[in-house]
Amino acid sequence: MSQLRFATLSLLVSCALSGSLAAAPAPVSAAAEAKPAASGRVLRDGVAIDFEARPADGATELVEGGRADVTFRITDARTGKGVPGLKPGAWLDIAQVIANPKANEQKECKDKIALYLKGVVGVRPMVDLNSYYLMVLNKDPSISVIDPLTSMGGVTSTLARIMLKRPPVDWARSADGKHMFVSMPIADQVAVVDTASFRVVADVDAGDEPVRVAVQPDGRYLWVGNNSRDPNKSGVTVIDAHSFKPVKTFQTGTGHHEIAFSDDSRHAFVTNRDAGSVSVFDVAALQKVKDIATGPRPISVAPSGLSKALYVADGQAGTITVIDAKTLATRKVIQARPGLGPVRFTADGRFAFALNTPENTATVIDAGGDDVAHELAVAAEPYQVTFTPGYAYVRGLATERVTMVKLDTLGKGREPVLQSFAAGAEAPRLAGDLPLAASLATRADEGSVFVVNPANNTTYFYMEGMNAPMTGYLNRGHTARAVTVVDRAMRQGEPGVFSTQVTLPAPGKFDVAFMLDRPQVLHCFSADVKPGALSDAKLAAPRLEFLPAPVTVQAPGRATVRFRLVAGRKDVPRTGVRDLGVTWFLAPAGTRRSTATREVGEGVYEAELPLAQTGAYYVHVDSAALRETQHKPYLTLRAVSAVAGN
């Protein structure tokens, strides 16, 4: 999936056998700048890699629980210019205690990186600077969090499960990406999910029947559409996106509400489907400015930063009304066909895709002249569209296939290039009711897309250039409806400069493992993290760690699983825990079985698991003492037949 995952074995072998990398002190800047809390430099084949970590709050030391800005600068050692076109990898993990550091330090580092690249369950760094996670919106009141870089037996690892009060319908990310706002119409609330801890941190009252949610570009307010059947309560609720407090509720008109903003966040636009209008708000004053008639059934609205306008599609009239974002006047009415639905713009604001579900088409509008550029035959009953830098992806209700439109072939007088691939074998409409949240998600600057097929409860990963999805992630125990990506990977600013901000998870000496494929570099820098003020309280909770065990066992047969419970800064064994239970099941969704454990040492417990069938098993430990523990580890076992095992 990740390009890092497919790093070649020759890279690992070549780097492991090469001599030690030349190291020199990092160059001293002429600017009067405070020294980073951790830094280092590596020279290799004329390329310099400089590492530094700085506390995000301006302090002088890295502290557990604090945030740190981590930066790698990859430059030409002779000219000092950044080297473009690179894709480095990096990981943070507690340094291992080894007998002869000088001889073994970098060999240990290379071995670590080799394991990280394999994506082995249970062998993951504390902080992955290349990581991203999938949040899968479920039909029931929950969200599944999947680590797509870690799998066992072809089944994706579920990192966490976020429980909600009521079933979710839509979600929107905060401007800084730290929170996800999830609408729950039955609860009349919006859940606020922390995307670092994957926990609900607040449930906010959001008016009567909150459905669509949208965060304005400057990140100040969350706007929530209230689809109340009471005309006096149908409208929009504004919530402070930082304090999570409701600010104001407006009555706008009846029907479903879609929400969009001018690119400067000066105005908010709210459609009123049954009232045939769009309500315009002055965001600074939090006042409604006017209602604009846009046709009998305005069904979607999308902004274009390029044309500085809003585009409102009317499903009944088949028109697209163009509203000037500054003057709030109707600039033009584009005639298409009745049946129009969602409208979405490419990232540059040039082309809008207006989907027509009954016609099985997508009308492409060129914002340069506000004209129809193309009428494209796409996936049957199209209802969602998303974009990568190179393609538009159109999802249809009545087919398992996803249509791809090559964006650089669009334009008047040109013939667009269309392709398609199958995301599963069933049409999404077979799943029944679907939420507003998108079943398509992309990674920033990546030529790849994740597609949920709700009919078979699987999220597929497709990389551009392939004939079919590379893999699929079954959502065990829940019914998948939508997907989004939480991306924590490093980003490139100026050429050769990669950075990200991380939360430091523990005190101690960290290895900062770094990998580059051109030139071939595998190297570990060091960073010391001091204990934080909240460490003792956090460490008081019991922590679970599985003890080493064979990954492959025989079936039918019995496997012995051992684990240890410790607590406190000095890892004091937790003895006498009587309600410990072990649950295991055969992937992807076999019957769950449970058994009790027995204590066999100081804080060490074990259980015997009968494994009747071959395949991949997931093993979990639960206890009242562990309910508040974040990111509980789990164990995976691969059972092979006795004949194969011999």
Side-chain angles (χ1 to χ4, degrees):
M1 287 168 288
S2 167
Q3 293 185 356
L4 298 172
R5 177 62 53 82
F6 300 107
T8 61
L9 182 61
S10 61
L11 164 64
L12 298 174
V13 173
S14 172
C15 290
L17 296 178
S18 64
S20 60
L21 303 174
V28 178
S29 172
E33 187 178 90
K35 291 183 178 180
S39 63
R41 165 173 266 215
V42 167
L43 298 174
R44 176 78 181 205
D45 296 340
V47 172
I49 299 105
D50 289 289
F51 154 74
E52 66 177 37
R54 297 175 181 272
D57 60 3
T60 58
E61 294 182 324
L62 301 174
V63 178
E64 174 200 13
R67 299 187 67 82
D69 294 314
V70 177
T71 303
F72 295 94
R73 290 182 174 85
I74 307 170
T75 57
D76 184 301
R78 183 177 58 84
T79 66
K81 292 184 178 180
V83 181
L86 301 178
K87 286 187 175 293
W91 304 262
L92 275 71
D93 208 355
I94 290 291
Q96 300 296 315
V97 178
I98 52 181
N100 189 348
K102 289 186 178 180
N104 297 326
E105 188 177 58
Q106 292 307 319
K107 181 180 185 303
E108 180 80 14
C109 176
K110 297 179 178 79
D111 291 342
K112 275 187 176 183
I113 293 175
L115 288 174
Y116 298 157
L117 290 171
K118 290 179 181 178
V120 179
V121 172
V123 187
R124 303 301 300 149
M126 295 189 76
V127 181
D128 189 338
L129 300 185
N130 327 288
S131 68
Y132 65 97
Y133 302 98
L134 303 181
M135 291 179 66
V136 177
L137 200 74
N138 295 322
K139 184 177 181 179
D140 64 281
S142 70
I143 297 170
S144 299
V145 182
I146 293 173
D147 180 356
L149 300 183
T150 304
S151 64
M152 179 66 181
V155 180
T156 301
S157 165
T158 299
L159 179 72
R161 197 84 66 192
I162 305 168
M163 302 310 298
L164 305 172
K165 279 187 174 182
R166 290 290 188 270
V169 171
D170 191 27
W171 53 14
R173 195 188 319 271
S174 63
D176 59 10
K178 294 180 180 179
H179 295 97
M180 189 71 70
F181 301 103
V182 187
S183 65
M184 302 178 293
I186 297 176
D188 292 337
Q189 290 183 323
V190 167
V192 183
V193 177
D194 186 308
T195 57
S197 64
F198 295 120
R199 288 190 169 193
V200 175
V201 295
D203 288 310
V204 185
D205 292 336
D208 194 33
E209 199 174 337
V211 178
R212 179 64 84 187
V213 288
V215 177
Q216 60 190 55
D218 65 5
R220 183 179 180 185
Y221 292 125
L222 169 73
W223 292 67
V224 183
N226 297 120
N227 288 15
S228 177
R229 297 168 188 171
D230 182 346
N232 296 319
K233 296 181 179 179
S234 181
V236 65
T237 296
V238 183
I239 296 171
D240 189 300
H242 302 287
S243 67
F244 312 141
K245 302 294 184 184
V247 176
K248 200 168 185 178
T249 296
F250 297 93
Q251 176 189 351
T252 62
T254 56
H256 173 72
H257 308 286
E258 290 289 311
I259 305 167
F261 309 94
S262 57
D263 59 357
D264 59 3
S265 296
R266 181 180 176 184
H267 292 111
F269 300 82
V270 180
T271 66
N272 309 301
R273 185 172 298 182
D274 295 343
S277 65
V278 173
S279 297
V280 184
F281 293 87
D282 182 315
V283 173
L286 281 183
Q287 292 181 349
K288 187 167 77 168
V289 176
K290 62 189 299 188
D291 291 317
I292 303 174
T294 57
R297 199 161 183 80
I299 202 165
S300 182
V301 58
S304 168
L306 180 66
S307 65
K308 308 296 182 184
L310 278 294
Y311 295 71
V312 183
D314 191 282
Q316 184 174 327
T319 58
I320 299 173
T321 301
V322 185
I323 301 173
D324 189 288
K326 184 176 181 180
T327 65
L328 306 182
T330 298
R331 182 188 293 176
K332 188 175 184 179
V333 177
I334 304 169
Q335 185 64 54
R337 297 179 183 178
L340 289 179
V343 178
R344 297 291 182 270
F345 267 94
T346 54
D348 61 3
R350 174 70 185 276
F351 294 105
F353 279 65
L355 306 183
N356 194 313
T357 303
E359 295 285 342
N360 301 329
T361 60
T363 300
V364 180
I365 305 297
D366 187 339
D370 289 336
D371 295 316
V372 175
H374 306 283
E375 286 282 353
L376 305 177
V378 294
E381 298 185 18
Y383 74 110
Q384 290 178 343
V385 60
T386 193
F387 305 94
T388 63
Y391 287 87
Y393 290 80
V394 181
R395 189 79 165 112
L397 283 169
T399 177
E400 76 282 3
R401 301 200 69 82
V402 177
T403 299
M404 301 169 59
V405 183
K406 201 167 189 296
L407 295 180
D408 63 8
T409 64
L410 296 178
K412 279 259 187 177
R414 308 186 69 184
E415 188 65 30
V417 173
L418 276 67
Q419 302 165 254
S420 71
F421 64 90
E426 297 87 15
R429 64 163 21 182
L430 298 177
D433 293 339
L434 298 176
L436 287 180
S439 64
L440 300 153
T442 63
R443 287 192 69 197
D445 303 323
E446 293 282 339
S448 58
V449 65
F450 294 92
V451 184
V452 167
N453 188 324
N456 65 8
N457 197 29
T458 301
T459 301
Y460 293 94
F461 173 78
Y462 175 81
M463 181 175 286
E464 289 168 8
M466 307 296 288
N467 293 323
M470 296 179 64
T471 190
Y473 313 131
L474 186 64
N475 189 21
R476 305 186 316 276
H478 298 265
T479 305
R481 284 293 184 259
V483 65
T484 190
V485 177
V486 175
D487 204 333
R488 298 179 183 170
M490 295 184 295
R491 293 285 176 217
Q492 182 173 201
E494 57 186 275
V497 179
F498 296 83
S499 60
T500 188
Q501 190 176 90
V502 301
T503 299
L504 301 169
K509 182 179 180 181
F510 275 74
D511 282 336
V512 185
F514 178 85
M515 184 191 82
L516 190 64
D517 60 351
R518 181 171 52 86
Q520 294 180 352
V521 177
L522 297 177
H523 185 79
C524 279
F525 300 98
S526 292
D528 290 315
V529 179
K530 305 298 182 184
L534 300 179
S535 292
D536 291 332
K538 186 172 71 173
L539 291 175
R543 299 184 300 283
L544 168 70
E545 57 181 26
F546 284 97
L547 298 182
V551 175
T552 303
V553 297
Q554 292 185 356
R558 303 180 74 84
T560 300
V561 174
R562 286 192 170 194
F563 56 91
R564 178 187 292 114
L565 285 184
V566 297
R569 191 175 296 282
K570 296 184 178 181
D571 291 344
V572 178
R574 283 293 300 267
T575 60
V577 181
R578 299 186 180 279
D579 67 340
L580 282 169
V582 173
T583 300
W584 74 99
F585 60 90
L586 180 65
T591 302
R592 293 175 180 265
R593 301 186 62 187
S594 299
T595 187
T597 65
R598 58 180 176 271
E599 189 170 1
V600 295
E602 288 289 305
V604 177
Y605 302 81
E606 73 173 21
E608 284 195 358
L609 315 182
L611 307 179
Q613 304 177 51
T614 60
Y617 287 84
Y618 285 81
V619 182
H620 297 263
V621 177
D622 199 14
S623 164
L626 295 172
R627 296 287 158 80
E628 296 302 318
T629 302
Q630 293 188 35
H631 306 312
K632 286 188 295 186
Y634 53 88
L635 183 68
T636 53
L637 299 173
R638 178 178 287 279
V640 299
S641 68
V643 175
N646 293 329

